[in-house]
Amino acid sequence: MSLIQKLYGPFFDPHNWATVITSGQDWLIILSLVLIECLLSVDNAVVLAAQTRVLPTLKEQEESLFYGIWGSYIFRFLIIGIGTYLINFWEIKVIGAAYLIYLVFRFFHSYFYGKKERKIKNTADRLTGRKRFWFVVAQIEFMDIIFSVDSVLASLAISENPVIVLIGGLIGILCMRGIAEVIMKLMRKVPELEPMAYALIFVIAFKLFLTIPAIDIEIPSQIFGIFMLAVFVLTIIIHFLRRDKNNADKE
C-alpha cells in the first residue's frame, strides 16, 4: 500500500496541481513534452490509421479512435506512476515489434493474393458489427501500450513531476489522434497510402526492435520523421502520376 501511495500520491496532491497550473515555467515544460509526444507518436499515428481501416465506415473508424483516447488516458496515468521501472520492460518492445511484423505480413499477403481468392481471414475479418469494432479498439490500446514506453521515459527525463508529465502526455495524445484521423481520411482518397503505411510499419517494427537493451540503437526522432515525410510525399506523387497515366490511357 505504501508503494502505491509513493507512486501515485503526487497525482492526488491538490497543492502539486495548483503549483503546476499557475507556473509559467511548468507550462513551458509541458509544451516541450507535448512536442516530444507528437514527434515520438507519428509512427503510432500511422499504425493506428492502418488498423482502423478494418472497420467499414468512416464513422466507426473515428469512433474507435475516440474510445482509444480514453483508454490511452487511463493507461498513461497508470504507466507514469511506474515510469522508473519501465526500462526493465524491454520485452514489451520485442512483442510489439513481432506483432507489427505480423500485421505487415497479413496485409501484404492479402494485398497480393486477395484477387486470387486466397485472402487471409484474420480475427477482425471474421468478426462483425460491434464485436469487430471493440476488437479494433483493443488493438489500438495494445499499440498504445507499446508506443507509450519511449514517450513516458523521454518525458520523465525532462521532468520528474508526474503531474507535469501527465498533462503533457494527455495533450500530446489528443494531438496524435488528430494526426491519425488526418492520415485515415487521406487513405480513403489516396489508395496507395495504405500499402505505404504497412511498409512504414515494417520499418517502425525494425526501429522498435533496435531499441532493446541488447542492441541499444536509437534512431533520432527528427531523422525518422523526415524519412516518413519523404515517403509520404513520394507516395502522393506516385498517386498523381498513376492517376494521370490512367486518364491518358482512357482518352
Side-chain angles (χ1 to χ4, degrees):
M1 193 68 181
S2 59
L3 178 60
I4 295 176
Q5 185 177 0
K6 180 180 178 181
L7 294 177
Y8 296 100
F11 289 117
F12 301 98
D13 184 354
H15 177 71
N16 192 12
W17 280 88
T19 301
V20 171
I21 292 173
T22 57
S23 172
Q25 184 177 355
D26 285 345
W27 277 105
L28 288 176
I29 297 174
I30 289 171
L31 289 176
S32 68
L33 294 180
V34 171
L35 179 61
I36 289 174
E37 182 76 34
C38 291
L39 287 173
L40 292 175
S41 298
V42 171
D43 45 4
N44 193 3
V46 171
V47 174
L48 296 186
Q51 284 181 317
T52 60
R53 294 278 291 173
V54 175
L55 298 172
T57 66
L58 182 60
K59 181 181 178 181
E60 282 190 313
Q61 292 173 10
E62 292 176 343
E63 190 181 357
S64 68
L65 289 176
F66 172 78
Y67 282 107
I69 284 179
W70 290 105
S72 299
Y73 285 168
I74 294 171
F75 175 75
R76 188 57 58 94
F77 169 78
L78 295 174
I79 210 66
I80 290 173
I82 58 173
T84 54
Y85 301 100
L86 281 178
I87 195 64
N88 300 316
F89 298 162
W90 60 267
E91 293 89 350
I92 294 178
K93 294 184 178 182
V94 175
I95 295 172
Y99 179 69
L100 290 177
I101 291 174
Y102 162 72
L103 291 179
V104 174
F105 169 79
R106 188 182 69 188
F107 171 80
F108 280 109
H109 191 288
S110 172
Y111 187 80
F112 288 113
Y113 296 105
K115 295 180 181 178
K116 299 179 181 179
E117 303 300 328
R118 293 171 59 188
K119 184 176 180 180
I120 294 176
K121 289 292 183 180
N122 57 64
T123 305
D125 291 329
R126 290 194 293 266
L127 299 175
T128 58
R130 299 304 285 182
K131 288 183 179 179
R132 175 187 287 191
F133 173 81
W134 288 114
F135 180 80
V136 171
V137 171
Q139 284 186 310
I140 290 174
E141 299 305 338
F142 176 73
M143 294 317 304
D144 273 326
I145 292 173
I146 302 299
F147 282 102
S148 66
V149 173
D150 286 340
S151 58
V152 169
L153 286 176
S155 298
L156 288 172
I158 293 175
S159 175
E160 295 182 357
N161 189 334
V163 171
I164 294 176
V165 176
L166 180 63
I167 295 174
L170 299 188
I171 298 174
I173 288 171
L174 187 60
C175 295
M176 184 270 295
R177 283 299 191 277
I179 296 172
E181 287 194 19
V182 171
I183 296 173
M184 183 177 64
K185 291 175 181 177
L186 279 174
M187 281 181 175
R188 284 184 168 266
K189 297 180 180 179
V190 184
E192 292 85 354
L193 284 176
E194 187 168 17
M196 178 221 73
Y198 279 93
L200 283 177
I201 287 173
F202 179 80
V203 178
I204 290 166
F206 184 68
K207 172 178 175 286
L208 187 64
F209 182 75
L210 288 178
T211 60
I212 67 173
I215 302 175
D216 196 22
I217 297 176
E218 184 73 38
I219 299 175
S221 56
Q222 297 91 336
I223 295 176
F224 193 70
I226 293 172
F227 168 75
M228 294 184 71
L229 180 61
V231 173
F232 177 79
V233 171
L234 181 61
T235 305
I236 296 294
I237 293 173
I238 292 173
H239 167 73
F240 283 109
L241 290 176
R242 290 182 64 182
R243 190 186 67 176
D244 292 342
K245 184 178 183 300
N246 290 336
N247 292 337
D249 291 341
K250 288 178 182 178
E251 294 175 358

